[in-house]
Amino acid sequence: MWGKQIEAINPIDLTERALRFWEMNDHSVRIVALGSALIGLSCALMGSYVVTRRLSLFGDTLSHAVLPGIALGFMWAESKNNVSLMIGASIAGFLGISCISFLGRFTKISQDSALGIVLSGFYAVGICMLTRIQKMDYGSQAGLDSYLFGQVSALSTNDLIGIILALGAIIFFLSVCYKELLVTGFDPNFARSIRLPVNLIQYLLWMLLAFCVISSLQVIGVILASALLIIPAATASLLAKRMTSYLLIASLFGAAAGVGGAFLSFFGERLPTGPLIVLVSITFFLLVLFFRPKNGMFSGFIKSKGQSRRFAMENTLKAIYQVMESSEFKSSTIQKLELMNRRGISSGYCQKELNQLVRFGFATTSLEAKSQNNLPRELLVSLTPKGWEQACKTVRNHRLWELYLTNEARYAPDHVHEDAEKIEHVLGEDTVRKLERILSNPKKDPHGKLIPSLVDIQKGWLGTSELEKENYIL
Amino acid sequence: MKMSSSAKPIEVHDLTVSYQRKPVLYGVDLEIEEGSLVGIIGPNGAGKSTLVKTIMNMIKPNGGFVKIFGQTAKHGISRVGYVPQRESVDWDFPVTVMDVVLMGRYAHLGWLRRAGKADHKIASDCLEQVDMLPFSNRQIGNLSGGQQQRVFLARALAQESAVYLMDEPFAGVDAVTEKAIVSILKGLKERGKTLVVVHHDLSSAKEYFDHLLLLNMRKVAYGPVEEVYTRELLQKTYGGRLTILSEMAFESAGVRAIEKEVLGPKK
C-alpha cells in the first residue's frame, strides 16, 4: 500500500516528496487527493445547511451515532464490506435521529442535552463493539480504528466510489430542492403555511447528512467529521450574504482543506490526515476572520488606527488655533512651549504630535532666530493653509455642536464640552450646513467665543492685518 | 355582500387550545366575513397570537375546529398569507430582501420550478409598495426592525392571497412605518381581501380596523368597531379573567392529552 511505499524510500528529500504529491502520477496519491477534496466538498455543502439552521451540534451527534452501526455492519459481513458498513451506519444514524426527536417531543429535556446524551451513548456503544471486534479472529487486521481518526492512506477505489455517490446524491437533492430548503430553513412556519412538507424535507436532509458523514469516515474519522461540516460553513458565513454564494464559498474552502490536509499528511511523516484537514480548515477560518475586506479584525484595526491618528491631529490643530486665538491672532506663529502648556503635555509628546502634523503637511516648524534671555532657542510652529483650514473646521464643529446642544437640545452650557470633543471629529459638511441653518448662521458659541466661518477659513486667519494675510497667501 | 359561496374566509368553532395544561383559548367561536379588516385585541397572554397560529395550523387545538373557505385548516391555509412575529425567524440567515419576498411566490411555483422574471417583477412591485425596493440586495440582518417588518409584509403581498393573517405587524416599528402599513392594509381591504391583524394598542385600534375581536382567553365580543368598542366590553376584556371559567378550563385541560406546539423544525 501507499503508506509502505513511503517508508521504503525513506529518508526522502522533502521537496521531492511535495513534487510527488502535486504531480499526482501515483495512482494512490490521486485517489487520496481526489477523495479528500470531494469529502471536503460534500461535507461543506451539507454543513452549510447544518450551520445556517443552527444545528452544528447535530452533525457532531450524527457522526458519533453511526459508530455502532459500522461495528454491526462489520460483524454481520465478517469483513470490511462497504455495503454492509453503509447499511449498518445508516440504520444507526436513523436510530440516533429518532432518539433525539423522541427526547425532544416527549420529554422536557432541552435539545442540547438530548444531543449530548445521544452522542455519548451511541459513541460508547460503538467503542465497546469495536474493542470486541478487534479481539475476534477476523477483526484483528480490519483496521477499524481508522474510522475513529481517519486514515486517508487506506482509502480504496471502492471508498472513492462511495464518496462520489454520496456527493452526487447531495448535489442532486440540494439543486432540486434549493428553494424548499431555503424557505424551510429560514422560516419553517411560513413554509408550513404554504403547505411544504417541512418535516419530510428535514428528514431527507438528515439522511443525506448521514450518508455524507459515513462516506467521509475513512478519511476524517468519527471524532472530527463534524469539524469538516461546521468550519468551512462558518467561514462562508463570514463572507456570504446569499445562500448560493454561501454554498460556493463553503465548498471551495472545504475542498481546499481536504487537499491541503492530505498533502500535509503525505508531506510530514506519520501525521494523521483527519486532524490535519481540520487544522487547515481552521487556518482558513482564522485568515478570513482577520483579513476579510469588510468588518475583518485586521482591516478594522487599520481603520481605527487611522481614525485615532486623525483625531489626535485634529486635537493638536485645535489647540494651536486656541493659542493663536488667545493672542487675538496677532501672530501667525506660536511657540511650542505655548502649545505644551495649552495641551498639558510633555515636550517629547508634543514634538511627536508636531512631527505628525509636519509629515501630513498641516504645519511647519522652525527655530527662533534669536534666543531670549540666554535660554535655548524656542521652536516656532505655523500652520499651512491646509492646516489652518482643518483647524478652523474642527473648532467650528466643536463650537457649533456646543451651541446646538445648548440652544436646541437644551443642555446646560457646562455639560456640552465633552460631547463636542467627540462629535467635532465626525461632523460631516452636510450636517454642518444643517446645523448652521437650524441655528441661523451663528457667530458665537455658548461661551461667547467666535465660531470660525467659511469666509475665515478661506481668507486665512482671523484678526490679522490685510497685509499679513496677503503675505500669507503669497 | 358579494360572495360566491356561503363559505366564510375564516370560521372558528368552539376552539380550545392549551399549552402544557395551561389553557390559552377556551371555546372560541368566530365567523369572519369576506372583505373585513379585523383587529384582534386583548391584554397580554389573552391568546391573540395563539388564535392566529391555530388558524395557521401551527398549533393543534385540544378541541373545536378551524375552517378556511369551508376547508380544513390544513388544506385551507394555502389561501392565507401569513405575516409572523418578527422574532420568529433567524435574521442572520444568508438571504437577501429579494430572496425573502420571492418566497411569497413559492406556493405559486410548486416544486422544481425556480422563480422567473414574472415573479421577480411581482416581488419588486411588492417591495416598492412597502418602500423597500432600494434595499432589495441587502442581507436581511442589516435591516432595522421596522424594515424587517416591511419585508415580511412584502412577502405576504407577493403571495397574492385572499386572506391575510398578521401577528403584531406593528410591534417595534416606528410611527412612519406604522402609518405606511395601515395604508397598505386599507388598500388590501379595498381590493376585497380579508385581513386579520393582532394588535396590542387599544387607542389606535378604533381607527385602524372595521371589525374588532375582543379576546381574553374566551371571545368577549366580535363585531363592527362601533358596536364593540364600548366602555363596558373593553372593561370586560381587560378587567381580568372570569375566575371560575379560568379554573374550570384549567381542570379540563389537565384531563386532556398534552398537545405540544408544532412550531419550528422537529428536532
Side-chain angles (χ1 to χ4, degrees):
Chain A
M1 283 293 313
W2 180 61
K4 283 171 193 154
Q5 278 176 12
I6 293 178
E7 281 174 52
I9 32 176
N10 204 22
I12 181 175
D13 183 24
L14 287 179
T15 44
E16 195 182 316
R17 195 182 290 192
L19 271 176
R20 240 185 91 201
F21 182 86
W22 292 114
E23 279 172 357
M24 303 212 173
N25 290 326
D26 258 325
H27 176 66
S28 52
V29 172
R30 276 204 297 269
I31 286 195
V32 164
L34 191 62
S36 312
L38 293 182
I39 280 190
L41 189 64
S42 57
C43 283
L45 287 173
M46 289 313 295
S48 299
Y49 285 93
V50 170
V51 169
T52 53
R53 284 161 192 246
R54 310 211 162 213
L55 292 170
S56 298
L57 201 55
F58 193 89
D60 201 19
T61 306
L62 195 63
S63 59
H64 283 72
V66 297
L67 196 60
I70 287 172
L72 211 65
F74 186 81
M75 283 165 139
W76 180 39
E78 300 206 346
S79 74
K80 226 171 110 184
N81 178 320
N82 271 325
V83 180
S84 62
L85 290 187
M86 201 74 151
I87 292 171
S90 307
I91 292 171
F94 185 77
L95 266 179
I97 295 170
S98 309
C99 285
I100 295 163
S101 57
F102 176 85
L103 285 175
R105 202 178 291 201
F106 296 106
T107 66
K108 273 191 162 182
I109 294 169
S110 66
Q111 203 197 353
D112 52 343
S113 310
L115 287 168
I117 292 169
V118 172
L119 181 153
S120 48
F122 274 67
Y123 188 59
V125 172
I127 294 285
C128 288
M129 290 168 82
L130 280 189
T131 317
R132 188 100 193 94
I133 288 172
Q134 301 271 338
K135 287 176 183 153
M136 289 179 191
D137 301 338
Y138 56 84
S140 50
Q141 289 177 332
L144 277 181
D145 53 342
S146 68
Y147 283 112
L148 288 183
F149 309 109
Q151 194 186 351
V152 79
S153 57
L155 201 70
S156 66
T157 320
N158 272 348
D159 291 327
L160 196 62
I161 291 170
I163 292 169
I164 291 171
L165 284 178
L167 181 62
I170 289 166
I171 290 176
F172 177 76
F173 179 66
L174 297 189
S175 49
V176 165
C177 294
Y178 176 77
K179 71 180 199 302
E180 285 75 18
L181 285 167
L182 193 69
V183 68
T184 52
F186 172 62
D187 192 349
N189 287 328
F190 177 80
R192 274 194 195 93
S193 84
I194 57 173
R195 302 197 57 201
L196 284 177
V198 176
N199 292 338
L200 178 71
I201 290 173
Q202 186 92 16
Y203 263 100
L204 284 174
L205 197 63
W206 287 347
M207 285 314 290
L208 270 184
L209 184 62
F211 284 137
C212 168
V213 167
I214 294 159
S215 70
S216 60
L217 289 184
Q218 182 69 58
V219 174
I220 188 123
V222 167
I223 300 170
L224 289 174
S226 66
L228 210 46
L229 290 171
I230 296 165
I231 301 166
T235 314
S237 77
L238 297 173
L239 295 168
K241 64 172 186 177
R242 297 194 64 191
M243 200 65 205
T244 40
S245 48
Y246 197 105
L247 289 168
L248 194 73
I249 294 169
S251 38
L252 276 178
F253 279 116
V259 177
F263 168 69
L264 286 179
S265 105
F266 181 90
F267 190 65
E269 239 176 299
R270 297 189 170 275
L271 282 173
T273 322
L276 282 175
I277 293 179
V278 173
L279 288 177
V280 171
S281 186
I282 286 180
T283 311
F284 286 149
F285 175 78
L286 290 176
L287 285 177
V288 170
L289 187 66
F290 283 107
F291 295 104
R292 70 187 153 144
K294 256 187 276 172
N295 324 319
M297 286 187 179
F298 185 72
S299 48
F301 176 73
I302 295 283
K303 214 169 129 190
S304 81
K305 251 310 212 217
Q307 200 175 42
S308 55
R309 190 174 56 198
R310 181 170 68 84
F311 286 9
M313 284 198 294
E314 285 178 4
N315 282 336
T316 319
L317 286 170
K318 190 176 65 177
I320 294 171
Y321 180 96
Q322 284 162 341
V323 171
M324 288 160 83
E325 187 181 46
S326 64
S327 64
E328 288 163 355
F329 301 100
K330 288 215 174 78
S331 160
S332 63
T333 57
I334 64 160
Q335 294 185 345
K336 182 186 161 194
L337 192 65
E338 293 173 299
L339 183 62
M340 277 160 60
N341 290 339
R342 174 85 214 171
R343 299 265 284 148
I345 52 176
S346 70
S347 170
Y349 193 80
C350 188
Q351 191 60 50
K352 239 167 131 185
E353 287 192 337
L354 286 174
N355 290 345
Q356 186 88 277
L357 287 184
V358 172
R359 196 148 62 86
F360 280 81
F362 284 124
T364 53
T365 53
S366 55
L367 280 178
E368 245 176 352
K370 203 173 67 184
S371 73
Q372 296 159 350
N373 313 329
N374 292 332
L375 286 167
R377 286 195 292 172
E378 191 55 50
L379 192 70
L380 296 175
V381 183
S382 58
L383 292 174
T384 64
K386 189 175 142 199
W388 169 255
E389 188 185 325
Q390 191 55 53
C392 283
K393 276 184 181 167
T394 309
V395 172
R396 175 202 62 189
N397 288 357
H398 183 100
R399 291 179 181 170
L400 258 184
W401 188 250
E402 284 191 340
L403 195 65
Y404 175 72
L405 284 184
T406 45
N407 286 13
E408 301 296 317
R410 306 260 160 236
Y411 279 81
D414 57 340
H415 279 56
V416 294
H417 177 74
E418 295 217 353
D419 190 45
E421 281 289 303
K422 286 179 229 142
I423 299 293
E424 66 191 13
H425 302 295
V426 292
L427 274 186
E429 283 301 309
D430 289 345
T431 321
V432 168
R433 292 291 95 74
K434 263 187 223 156
L435 285 176
E436 284 175 344
R437 223 174 308 128
I438 291 169
L439 300 164
S440 44
N441 294 318
K443 294 273 181 296
K444 287 183 175 178
D445 77 351
H447 311 293
K449 291 200 170 136
L450 281 173
I451 297 173
S453 68
L454 200 64
V455 185
D456 298 324
I457 294 171
Q458 282 162 353
K459 263 193 197 162
W461 53 85
L462 299 157
T464 45
S465 73
E466 289 303 312
L467 188 69
E468 271 181 305
K469 270 184 198 171
E470 273 168 29
N471 284 343
Y472 180 78
I473 291 163
L474 288 171
Chain B
M1 193 142 298
K2 44 156 190 149
M3 259 177 33
S4 48
S5 67
S6 61
K8 303 265 192 295
I10 292 175
E11 187 191 343
V12 173
H13 182 79
D14 196 21
L15 197 70
T16 298
V17 181
S18 51
Y19 289 139
Q20 318 228 344
R21 293 173 175 242
K22 213 172 135 253
V24 185
L25 291 174
Y26 195 73
V28 175
D29 281 324
L30 183 66
E31 274 185 17
I32 291 174
E33 299 286 343
E34 199 159 0
S36 333
L37 174 49
V38 182
I40 303 180
I41 57 174
N44 283 337
K48 303 183 294 267
S49 285
T50 305
L51 178 61
V52 169
K53 283 179 185 160
T54 314
I55 295 172
M56 288 311 293
N57 201 31
M58 290 175 198
I59 299 172
K60 291 217 162 48
N62 299 55
F65 62 81
V66 172
K67 287 211 158 153
I68 296 166
F69 289 109
Q71 290 178 299
T72 58
K74 197 180 163 197
H75 292 92
I77 48 170
S78 52
R79 300 180 67 175
V80 182
Y82 174 55
V83 178
Q85 282 186 11
R86 215 172 57 237
E87 304 79 48
S88 66
V89 301
D90 173 13
W91 289 98
D92 290 331
F93 203 84
V95 283
T96 60
V97 167
M98 184 49 111
D99 291 331
V100 174
V101 179
L102 279 174
M103 287 176 190
R105 303 299 305 160
Y106 284 6
H108 299 261
L109 288 168
W111 292 81
L112 292 176
R113 268 178 58 206
R114 294 259 164 117
K117 258 189 188 159
D119 300 302
H120 276 91
K121 174 83 176 59
I122 292 170
S124 300
D125 288 347
C126 296
L127 277 173
E128 178 85 72
Q129 281 185 56
V130 298
D131 252 348
M132 286 292 291
L133 195 55
F135 298 90
S136 60
N137 268 324
R138 277 268 187 107
Q139 202 260 323
I140 45 160
N142 293 332
L143 299 175
S144 72
Q147 290 170 330
Q148 291 175 342
Q149 197 67 59
R150 290 183 201 209
V151 173
F152 266 171
L153 191 64
R155 181 179 69 179
L157 292 175
Q159 285 185 274
E160 299 181 325
S161 310
V163 183
Y164 286 99
L165 287 187
M166 306 191 182
D167 202 346
E168 300 259 14
F170 302 116
V173 305
D174 54 286
V176 182
T177 304
E178 182 159 333
K179 286 266 143 46
I181 295 177
V182 168
S183 76
I184 288 167
L185 297 188
K186 295 204 163 154
L188 286 169
K189 181 199 142 63
E190 308 265 287
R191 276 150 52 195
K193 312 278 187 186
T194 310
L195 296 109
V196 179
V197 180
V198 174
H199 192 48
H200 62 278
D201 181 28
L202 194 57
S203 55
S204 55
K206 202 173 169 182
E207 56 172 306
Y208 287 176
F209 306 107
D210 55 35
H211 283 67
L212 286 180
L213 169 66
L214 304 185
L215 194 73
N216 190 352
M217 200 171 90
R218 69 200 195 285
K219 179 178 83 177
V220 177
Y222 175 70
V225 173
E226 54 274 18
E227 286 173 26
V228 175
Y229 199 90
T230 63
R231 197 189 158 79
E232 188 198 1
L233 285 174
L234 290 175
Q235 211 149 40
K236 246 177 155 178
T237 314
Y238 284 85
R241 294 183 172 183
L242 299 178
T243 37
I244 297 177
L245 179 70
S246 297
E247 277 169 24
M248 292 320 293
F250 191 85
E251 291 288 307
S252 76
V255 176
R256 292 169 211 255
I258 305 163
E259 295 283 349
K260 281 204 73 172
E261 197 176 353
V262 282
L263 272 173
K266 287 217 178 91
K267 284 143 193 175

